[in-house]
């Protein structure tokens, strides 16, 4: 992992998030993300040689729910905050191609 | 001498996504049900509202374990979930909860029956549990409609090794998987309802002139029918060969990246989507909102105990103990309840082969008409046993038994009651049969004369009179008695 986030990486992340970034924003986010990364590099000061990698921050496991249906929201509530709806559907700009 | 022999070996792996038959979704208690009006089975958890917490459905984990164990997989003692990040309208959280480095199970196999009676072992790399995405509806003018009912439905992804080398093997594997998950009750595996989707990886190994060429691997996404899978594999084998032949050194795995293609149902061809180098960068990381799952021996054994006899083992038993042909044994092991029905009837005293003839004769035809399994037409094992015993005893003939079987579906009456009510019992009463025989002889003097005369025409005339008597009795006369009486009356 590089020590800093360069402009290309910011553009790549922007593309993955499907947002358009101005050159100014690329510069700004690059700087902010680099700062975050540098901050996290503090962790390197710790000795981790003999420590098992952690899969999860909590120690507990096997928290389950029974397979019993409970009432859902219903379309009107579910769609209440949708910018646009079409009948019971969320209405979004035309998407084509794969996910 | 130059080796001019050329061999082309397709190398195919398959990812199968199976929707599990739980009542609710994987992380919330919305219903997991196909066909409801759009956005009715949704809640803050599955539509990705901020601050909500997913809770794992125990049943989904158990169904997954059950399938994994039936595939001979090792179930991991410790398994966790990860976020697979991508942005698409059918996935409102902007990430899918899936499993990355510690899948629920790995290293199994599925035995695939082939047409020549042999079986091929296809190795399973891993089977993991993830959530399904919603549905984008594209047939809208100028926009896309999004239905999130399917978001969060539990999905078992089974990834095979690239062990398949022909269309037949791919189709055999896909159908064997469908049969297995249905058998286990883990999924309805209904293709029309999107319960099963396929993603094949295909390339060719071509040996020519002592050199082995490998075409670039092609992955085809999201095939939702057996037909689409079959056409895709057929098409890709032909397409890749043609492309390789045009440029044997250029069209190769070393020179070109893996590529994604999509299947176009209208043209039945695959079309280029993107090279893998432009592939999404999913930025997997551990799902912090879910607890890991620890499977101890006790829980694993408990789930394993629910598996019971698997289809191939049952088929082998039918061939061995009931002495059925491969074809018959295979037909009876497409689903578990049909075989259960047979086993129960045999336990109730039915002779296996006769019982099988009933099941694969009239019962199979009725099931076919109703588009259901034999077990679903609605006959009981007790009724089936009784009817089979009546056949064995000669109380009814084959034709009558079919009619009785059909009546058994609609009525609660026993087969014997139905046979009596419908006059379908074999008539053994010599007096009644003699009346029919005399009438037949009287009505057909020419045939009677030919039968008496012997010679060329005798056999045919005798057969004709036999038929006349059977017709008069509406098929109910005991043929052995009829024959005996006719011989007495027409004999020398
Ligand atoms: Zn929900």
């Amino acid at each position: 992992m590089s020590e800093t986030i360069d402009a290309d990486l910011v553009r790549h992340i922007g593309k993955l998030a499907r947002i358009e970034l101005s050159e100014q924003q690329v510069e700004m986010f690059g700087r902010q993300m680099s700062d975050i990364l540098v901050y996290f590099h503090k962790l390197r000061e710790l000795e981790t040689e003999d420590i098992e990698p952690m899969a999860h921050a909590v120690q507990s496991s096997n928290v389950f729910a029974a397979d019993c249906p409970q009432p859902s929201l219903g379309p009107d509530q579910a769609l209440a905050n949708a910018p646009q709806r079409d009948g019971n559907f969320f209405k979004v700009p035309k998407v084509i191609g794969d996910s | 001498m130059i080796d001019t022999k050329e061999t082309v070996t397709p190398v195919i792996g398959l990812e199968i996504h199976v929707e599990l038959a739980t009542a609710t979704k994987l992380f919330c208690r919305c219903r997991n049900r196909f066909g409801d009006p759009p956005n009715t089975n949704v809640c803050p958890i599955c539509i990705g509202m901020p601050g909500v917490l997913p809770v794992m459905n125990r049943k989904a984990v158990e169904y997954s374990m059950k399938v994994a164990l039936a595939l001979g997989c090792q179930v991991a003692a410790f398994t966790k979930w990860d976020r697979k990040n991508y942005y698409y309208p059918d996935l409102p959280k902007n990430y899918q909860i899936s499993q990355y480095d510690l899948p629920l199970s790995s290293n199994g196999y599925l035995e695939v029956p082939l047409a020549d009676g042999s079986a091929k072992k296809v190795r399973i790399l891993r089977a993991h549990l993830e959530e399904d995405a919603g549905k984008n509806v594209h047939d809208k003018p100028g926009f896309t409609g999004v239905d999130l009912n399917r978001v969060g439905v539990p999905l078992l992804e089974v990834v095979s090794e690239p062990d398949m080398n022909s269309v037949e093997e791919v189709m055999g594997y896909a159908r064997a998987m469908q049969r297995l998950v249905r058998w286990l009750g883990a999924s309805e595996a209904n293709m029309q309802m999107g319960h099963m989707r396929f993603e094949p990886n295909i390339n060719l190994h071509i040996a020519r002139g002592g050199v082995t060429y490998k075409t670039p691997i092609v992955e085809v996404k999201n095939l939702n029918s057996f037909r689409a899978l079959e056409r895709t594999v057929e098409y890709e084998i032909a397409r890749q060969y043609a492309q390789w032949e045009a440029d044997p050194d250029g069209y190769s795995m070393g020179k070109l990246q893996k590529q994604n293609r999509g299947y176009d149902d209208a043209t039945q061809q695959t079309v280029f989507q993107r090279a893998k180098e432009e592939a999404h960068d999913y930025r997997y990381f551990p799902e912090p909102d879910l607890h890991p799952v620890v499977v101890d021996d006790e829980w694993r054994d408990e789930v394993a105990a629910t598996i019971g006899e698997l289809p191939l083992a049952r088929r082998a038993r039918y061939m061995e103990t009931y002495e059925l042909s491969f074809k018959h044994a295979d037909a009876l092991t497409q689903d578990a309840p049909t075989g259960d029905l047979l086993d129960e009837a045999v336990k109730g005293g039915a002779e296996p082969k006769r019982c099988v003839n009933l099941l694969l004769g009239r019962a199979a035809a009725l099931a076919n008409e109703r588009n259901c399994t034999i077990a679903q037409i609605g006959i009981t094992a007790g009724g089936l046993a009784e009817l089979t015993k009546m056949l064995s005893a000669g109380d009814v003939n084959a034709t009558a038994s079919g009619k009785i079987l059909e009546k058994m579906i609609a009525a609660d009456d026993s087969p014997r009651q139905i046979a009596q009510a419908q006059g379908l019992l074999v008539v053994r009463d010599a007096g009644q049969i003699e009346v029919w025989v005399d009438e037949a002889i009287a009505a057909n003097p020419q045939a009677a004369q030919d039968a008496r005369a012997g010679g060329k025409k005798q056999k045919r005339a005798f057969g004709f009179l036999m038929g006349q008597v059977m017709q008069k009795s509406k098929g109910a006369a005991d043929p052995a008695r009829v024959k005996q009486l006719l011989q007495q009356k027409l004999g020398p």
Side-chain angles (χ1 to χ4, degrees):
Chain A
M1 193 85 179
S2 60
E3 297 294 311
T4 54
I5 307 264
D6 63 21
D8 282 344
L9 189 52
V10 176
R11 283 192 206 96
H12 176 64
I13 294 166
K15 200 179 155 198
L16 291 172
R18 311 214 176 182
I19 50 174
E20 239 176 277
L21 298 172
S22 68
E23 277 313 297
Q24 237 179 340
Q25 285 170 322
V26 168
E27 194 273 327
M28 179 184 72
F29 287 130
R31 194 164 14 88
Q32 289 181 353
M33 287 191 236
S34 294
D35 286 347
I36 294 169
L37 208 59
V38 167
Y39 181 73
F40 270 83
H41 283 165
K42 269 181 188 289
L43 291 172
R44 287 186 180 166
E45 292 164 20
L46 294 170
E47 183 56 60
T48 55
E49 193 74 1
D50 298 321
I51 296 175
E52 281 276 302
M54 257 168 92
H56 207 283
V58 296
Q59 293 300 307
S60 59
S61 60
N62 294 15
V63 176
F64 296 115
D67 188 27
C68 300
Q70 302 288 327
S72 294
L73 277 183
D76 285 333
Q77 261 191 298
L79 290 154
N81 290 329
Q84 282 184 290
R85 65 184 279 184
D86 176 65
N88 272 6
F89 287 101
F90 290 90
K91 188 173 173 181
V92 302
K94 198 102 186 139
V95 283
I96 38 164
D98 69 334
S99 52
Chain B
M1 201 178 107
I2 300 164
D3 181 13
T4 50
K5 214 178 77 197
E6 181 185 292
T7 57
V8 180
T9 312
V11 177
I12 307 159
L14 195 59
E15 286 179 23
I16 302 186
H17 291 86
V18 182
E19 277 189 3
L20 299 177
T22 51
T24 68
K25 295 185 180 184
L26 189 50
F27 304 122
C28 66
R29 306 288 71 80
C30 290
R31 280 183 194 281
N32 166 16
R33 193 165 61 192
F34 177 87
D36 284 342
N39 295 307
T40 46
N41 300 325
V42 292
C43 74
I45 293 171
C46 56
I47 58 179
M49 295 288 180
V52 295
L53 286 173
V55 185
M56 181 71 66
N57 184 335
R58 185 185 174 99
K59 193 87 202 170
V61 175
E62 290 188 335
Y63 278 154
S64 304
M65 285 165 64
K66 199 172 172 183
V67 175
L69 289 165
L71 289 169
C73 286
Q74 281 168 306
V75 171
F78 180 93
T79 186
K80 65 148 172 95
W81 277 260
D82 302 275
R83 289 188 184 180
K84 179 181 180 179
N85 298 280
Y86 67 94
Y87 194 94
Y88 205 59
D90 62 10
L91 192 75
K93 297 198 300 296
N94 298 338
Y95 58 86
Q96 179 195 28
I97 301 179
S98 181
Q99 297 198 279
Y100 184 57
D101 58 340
L102 294 172
L104 189 129
S105 67
S106 55
N107 296 326
Y109 67 91
L110 182 59
E111 238 178 88
V112 179
L114 300 175
D116 65 3
S118 67
K120 170 146 188 171
K121 263 189 186 184
V122 174
R123 289 169 301 154
I124 309 285
L125 179 65
R126 58 187 276 168
H128 72 248
L129 179 59
E130 61 185 29
E131 61 176 332
D132 208 344
K135 255 186 231 167
N136 291 331
V137 179
H138 297 297
D139 59 356
K140 307 272 182 187
F143 66 95
T144 292
V146 184
D147 172 13
L148 299 179
N149 280 349
R150 203 178 64 183
V151 165
V153 164
L155 207 56
L156 185 68
E157 178 174 333
V158 185
V159 184
S160 88
E161 296 280 2
D163 284 351
M164 290 158 276
N165 304 113
S166 65
V167 176
E168 189 204 354
E169 288 177 10
V170 173
M171 298 315 291
Y173 173 77
R175 290 192 190 281
M177 189 67 76
Q178 183 188 42
R179 169 155 69 169
L180 181 72
V181 296
R182 281 182 176 168
W183 189 277
L184 297 170
S187 175
E188 288 174 46
N190 181 320
M191 303 306 295
Q192 279 76 36
M193 295 185 186
H195 291 159
M196 260 180 108
R197 277 110 66 190
F198 309 114
E199 290 181 10
N201 274 279
I202 308 156
N203 80 332
L204 303 178
H205 291 189
I206 304 160
R208 181 194 269 180
V211 183
T212 299
Y213 301 84
K214 294 179 181 176
T215 59
I217 296 175
V218 165
E219 181 170 307
V220 185
K221 292 275 187 191
N222 229 353
L223 301 171
N224 53 18
S225 71
F226 284 105
R227 206 180 75 123
L229 176 63
E230 189 169 23
R231 295 288 152 84
T232 293
V233 176
E234 278 170 358
Y235 181 81
E236 270 305 308
I237 290 171
R239 188 196 64 77
Q240 290 185 24
Y241 184 78
Q243 200 161 341
W244 169 80
E245 210 171 27
D247 181 12
D249 294 311
Y251 190 66
S252 83
M253 208 158 133
K255 299 227 168 87
L256 291 171
Q257 297 267 3
K258 183 173 173 175
Q259 56 171 243
N260 278 4
R261 298 178 73 90
Y263 175 72
D264 179 11
D265 204 29
T267 60
Q268 303 193 349
Q269 295 181 349
T270 65
V271 285
F272 178 79
Q273 282 178 331
R274 60 180 149 84
K276 209 68 181 181
E277 59 204 306
E278 310 159 24
H280 289 291
D281 172 356
Y282 290 124
R283 295 148 293 146
Y284 281 98
F285 67 86
E287 167 58 78
D289 289 345
L290 279 174
H291 298 262
V293 167
V294 172
V295 181
D296 59 15
D297 291 353
E298 195 188 342
W299 190 17
R300 195 195 50 220
D301 292 349
E302 217 173 87
V303 174
T306 64
I307 290 176
E309 189 180 38
L310 291 172
L312 294 193
R314 178 172 277 187
R315 190 179 65 195
R317 175 167 66 82
Y318 284 178
M319 291 170 72
E320 174 83 24
T321 52
Y322 297 164
E323 297 179 332
L324 302 186
S325 66
F326 174 88
K327 209 177 139 201
H328 284 182
D330 194 56
L332 288 162
T333 48
Q334 293 300 314
D335 63 292
T338 297
D340 292 346
L341 188 65
L342 170 64
D343 285 337
E344 279 295 303
V346 171
K347 250 185 238 165
E351 194 194 318
K353 276 195 178 166
R354 264 187 222 278
C355 189
V356 167
N357 287 339
L358 272 173
L359 286 173
L360 295 179
R362 193 73 198 114
L366 290 166
N368 202 27
E369 280 168 25
R370 289 162 171 73
N371 199 17
C372 67
T373 66
I374 293 171
Q376 285 167 342
I377 63 173
I379 49 172
T380 64
L384 183 63
E386 191 185 336
L387 182 58
T388 310
K389 284 190 273 187
M390 285 165 67
L391 255 176
S392 298
D395 295 343
V396 288
N397 60 34
T399 316
S401 71
K403 289 180 189 158
I404 296 166
L405 193 115
E406 194 167 349
K407 297 273 179 215
M408 282 161 62
I409 294 168
D412 289 332
D413 298 339
S414 74
R416 190 166 293 280
Q417 285 168 326
I418 294 167
Q420 273 159 353
Q422 304 283 322
L424 292 169
L425 284 173
V426 167
V427 175
R428 289 209 187 80
D429 172 26
Q432 175 60 59
I433 294 174
E434 190 167 8
V435 172
W436 288 326
V437 167
D438 289 342
E439 280 175 11
I441 290 170
N444 300 283
Q446 185 59 49
Q449 196 189 320
D450 290 346
R452 280 198 189 93
K456 268 202 325 205
K457 289 180 178 171
Q458 188 203 19
K459 206 174 171 188
R460 196 175 164 166
F462 194 87
F464 173 77
L465 289 168
M466 231 357 246
Q468 291 298 304
V469 177
M470 291 311 287
Q471 215 171 57
K472 280 181 183 297
S473 76
K474 297 194 177 74
D478 180 2
R481 286 286 168 95
V482 176
K483 196 176 170 192
Q484 202 183 10
L485 271 169
L486 271 173
Q487 275 167 342
Q488 273 174 23
K489 289 183 187 276
L490 301 170

